[in-house]
């Protein structure tokens, strides 16, 4: 297993990651969360945290809270990429949170050897379109693109002075061969995590991300108080399981374009991919399946339903028990999972079509920093 912010390889041992990173295991019992609690939060897809309890407490006390979650535009987006943004929307709807969405075109340009500037620029726009299709409130949401919204540079300089090379190397797995842009980039992502506080003064900011992004949260926490800010909180998830392995990560790097579910896939394509590739916890023959039953805990179709798509607690228990007993067959389970995923993606695609009927520049503009916000970012940090 190898997990850094830029590389995830092999079978992921989530408990070991938690110990290595030093985050706390998440237990939401006893936390007073808004109801209904977001599915991936209720079912343990988010499984670790830093100060999430304090974040919830601050919201309970009526204090301002914000969310930051971003996207590295290395290509078009698949199902696993969009889920953090639906999480952000839940916090916006339920806690009235301000949401900041940074797009790190610089990061992907620096890290991916093959990508040209024009590639990351066009992926950035393509990705913004999908992210906006989630349906954020333009009054309470801002999107920034690193290489376009250049006022992020100055705070990044302030921040970068407070992190040593040896910290960067230890946390991010940098090597002697890493280009110097790559060494600097983490300062940009630290600034992303601070932006709500830079705009609105010190307050609790939560970053819901997959656990590979935790190193950014750790350095941001270490530096925050020295520049007058509150320590960043983190809500850390597992990876969206890949179609072919319950403990792998949905990704284009090994399986190619065909083995992920794209946001643009239609109902038939989704069904075909699930039928053909989704790893099954069932038995090889119907006969054996009826006799011995299946294993839902390693069945990718079941896991998708459990973590993301089957809201109904009674129904998911029925599916789990039916599958384990052998009453529910793999084909039936896959069919149901494909339908639920298609329902979700069709709703996403409809919102996207509606967005595309408007002038795209206007839409993006309505989610960009306002003049006074740009000024606040530019003026921040003089005293440091
Ligand atoms: N580094 C993230 C990725 O590779 C993208 C990202 C940029 C991000 N800024 C962020 C994620 C801030 C969470 C918070 O996908």
């Amino acid at each position: 297993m190898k997990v850094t912010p830029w590389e995830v390889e092999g079978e992921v041992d989530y408990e070991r990651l938690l110990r290595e990173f030093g985050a706390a295991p998440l237990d939401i019992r006893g936390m007073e969360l808004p109801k209904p609690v977001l599915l991936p939060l209720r079912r343990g897809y988010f499984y670790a945290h830093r100060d999430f309890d304090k974040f919830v407490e601050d919201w309970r006390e009526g204090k301002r809270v914000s969310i930051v979650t971003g996207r590295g535009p290395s290509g078009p987006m698949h199902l696993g990429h969009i889920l953090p943004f639906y999480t952000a929307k839940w916090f916006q709807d339920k806690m009235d949170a301000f949401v900041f969405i940074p797009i790190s075109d610089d990061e992907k340009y620096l890290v991916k050897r093959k990508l040209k500037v024009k590639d990351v620029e066009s992926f950035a726009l393509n990705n913004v379109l999908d992210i906006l299709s989630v349906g954020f409130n333009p009054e309470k949401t801002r999107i920034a693109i690193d290489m376009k919204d250049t006022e992020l540079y100055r705070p990044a300089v302030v921040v970068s002075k407070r992190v040593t090379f040896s910290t960067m190397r230890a946390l991010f797995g940098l090597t002697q061969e890493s280009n110097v842009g790559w060494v600097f980039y983490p300062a940009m992502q630290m600034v992303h995590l601070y932006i709500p506080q830079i705009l609105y003064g010190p307050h609790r900011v939560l970053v819901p991300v997959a656990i590979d992004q935790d190193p950014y949260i750790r350095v941001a926490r270490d530096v925050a108080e020295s520049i007058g800010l509150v320590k960043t909180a983190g809500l850390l998830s597992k990876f969206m399981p890949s179609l072919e392995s319950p403990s792998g990560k949905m990704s284009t790097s090994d399986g190619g374009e065909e083995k992920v579910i794209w946001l643009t896939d239609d109902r038939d394509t989704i069904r075909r991919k699930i039928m053909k590739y989704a790893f099954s916890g069932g038995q090889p023959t119907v006969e054996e399946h009826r006799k011995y039953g299946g294993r839902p805990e390693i069945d990718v179709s079941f896991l998708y339903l459990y973590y993301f798509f089957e809201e109904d607690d009674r129904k998911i228990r029925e599916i789990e028990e039916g599958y384990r007993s052998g009453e529910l067959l793999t084909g039936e389970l896959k069919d149901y999972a494909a339908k639920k995923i298609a329902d979700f993606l069709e709703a996403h695609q409809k919102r996207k079509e509606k967005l595309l009927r408007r002038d795209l520049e206007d839409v993006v503009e309505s989610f960009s920093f306002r003049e006074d916000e740009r000024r606040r970012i530019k003026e921040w940090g003089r005293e440091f």
Side-chain angles (χ1 to χ4, degrees):
M1 160 175 102
K2 179 170 181 188
V3 178
T4 76
W6 298 294
E7 251 182 310
V8 179
E9 269 171 27
E11 304 269 303
V12 182
D13 179 341
Y14 287 110
E15 295 316 312
R16 197 179 116 199
L17 270 183
L18 196 73
R19 283 196 304 277
E20 279 175 14
F21 285 175
L26 179 64
D27 184 357
I28 62 165
R29 282 171 304 181
M31 285 190 198
E32 289 188 67
L33 291 164
K35 304 266 168 356
V37 177
L38 182 78
L39 202 58
L41 192 50
R42 200 164 84 208
R43 300 253 175 92
Y45 178 65
F46 286 102
Y47 81 111
H49 76 110
R50 295 179 187 272
D51 287 349
F52 181 54
D53 45 349
K54 292 186 182 157
F55 173 87
V56 175
E57 218 171 278
D58 282 0
W59 165 70
R60 280 259 146 215
E61 288 171 8
K63 294 183 184 152
R64 173 193 286 283
V65 290
S66 295
I67 298 287
V68 177
T69 192
R71 160 78 187 152
S74 52
M77 290 168 80
H78 61 59
L79 192 56
H81 294 141
I82 201 69
L83 295 166
F85 298 99
Y86 280 92
T87 301
K89 172 153 168 64
W90 183 81
F91 282 106
Q92 179 161 84
D93 292 346
K94 300 288 182 180
M95 297 191 179
D96 200 30
F98 170 77
V99 173
F100 178 56
I101 301 169
I103 309 291
S104 53
D105 53 351
D106 49 351
E107 176 187 27
K108 294 298 150 169
Y109 175 69
L110 290 164
V111 168
K112 303 261 170 183
R113 195 162 285 164
K114 280 194 230 142
L115 291 181
K116 299 189 170 50
V117 172
K118 62 175 192 217
D119 299 327
V120 291
E121 266 171 8
S122 80
F123 289 141
L125 280 183
N126 162 299
N127 293 178
V128 163
L129 196 60
D130 269 307
I131 292 166
L132 290 181
S133 304
V134 169
F136 292 102
N137 171 2
E139 297 306 313
K140 303 219 68 179
T141 309
R142 294 291 178 269
I143 293 194
I145 300 176
D146 285 348
M147 288 204 277
K148 182 171 146 275
D149 295 288
T150 48
E151 47 278 278
L152 299 176
Y153 176 68
R154 214 172 68 143
V157 173
V158 172
V159 162
S160 69
K161 191 171 180 174
R162 289 164 168 77
V163 186
T164 64
F165 177 66
S166 76
T167 299
M168 290 292 187
R169 192 175 47 189
L171 278 180
F172 295 92
L174 300 169
T175 69
Q176 294 298 326
E177 278 66 48
S178 306
N179 62 58
V180 293
W182 194 337
V183 180
F184 178 76
Y185 172 74
M188 286 296 291
Q189 190 153 330
M190 290 166 73
V191 169
H192 297 159
L193 308 192
Y194 298 144
I195 281 292
Q197 302 197 68
I198 290 175
L199 289 176
Y200 300 112
H203 66 279
R204 199 82 61 180
V205 176
L206 177 73
V207 185
V209 274
I211 189 140
D212 65 316
Q213 299 288 308
D214 183 59
Y216 291 109
I217 299 174
R218 258 190 296 169
V219 265
R221 288 169 65 81
D222 285 347
V223 172
E225 287 169 346
S226 76
I227 49 176
L229 304 176
V230 176
K231 278 191 175 183
T232 311
L235 184 59
L236 305 168
S237 77
K238 302 175 179 174
F239 301 114
M240 170 103 189
S242 72
L243 282 172
E244 292 182 302
S245 157
S247 58
K249 177 192 179 198
M250 187 177 274
S251 152
T252 46
S253 4
D254 37 34
E257 311 252 303
E258 164 70 8
K259 293 178 183 172
V260 299
I261 296 173
W262 296 104
L263 296 183
T264 46
D265 282 350
D266 63 17
R267 197 169 278 275
D268 290 341
T269 309
I270 294 166
R271 190 167 185 282
R272 183 176 56 73
K273 287 180 178 173
I274 295 279
M275 289 296 171
K276 191 160 169 195
Y277 302 114
F279 183 86
S280 167
Q283 302 293 342
T285 66
V286 172
E287 212 169 70
E288 285 166 282
H289 191 85
R290 293 279 189 228
K291 192 160 157 202
Y292 304 113
R295 294 175 62 194
E297 67 281 1
I298 58 162
D299 189 289
V300 167
S301 308
F302 177 78
L303 291 175
Y304 288 172
L305 287 172
Y306 182 79
Y307 285 139
F308 313 111
F309 301 110
E310 182 52 72
E311 289 278 345
D312 185 337
D313 288 333
R314 227 190 44 225
K315 176 102 192 180
I316 197 71
R317 212 169 316 116
E318 267 171 35
I319 294 175
E320 184 172 1
E321 284 161 12
Y323 200 55
R324 210 182 290 287
S325 75
E327 198 182 311
L328 184 69
L329 298 175
T330 295
E332 294 165 336
L333 174 62
K334 286 192 170 194
D335 198 63
Y336 186 68
K339 178 187 171 305
K340 294 292 262 192
I341 295 170
D343 290 347
F344 171 82
L345 281 183
E346 268 180 9
H348 182 83
Q349 291 158 3
K350 278 218 184 84
R351 283 190 297 272
K352 190 164 162 181
E353 273 163 36
K354 216 167 130 199
L355 205 64
L356 283 169
R357 274 184 243 131
R358 292 171 54 196
D359 181 79
L360 216 49
E361 255 174 66
D362 281 355
V363 177
V364 175
E365 186 56 34
S366 67
F367 286 91
S368 303
F369 291 132
R370 314 280 195 255
E371 266 325 303
D372 63 308
E373 293 167 341
R374 292 194 195 274
R375 194 167 4 91
R376 266 179 270 166
I377 297 171
K378 275 191 195 145
E379 282 170 7
W380 179 85
R382 285 244 165 80
E383 65 274 36
F384 302 122

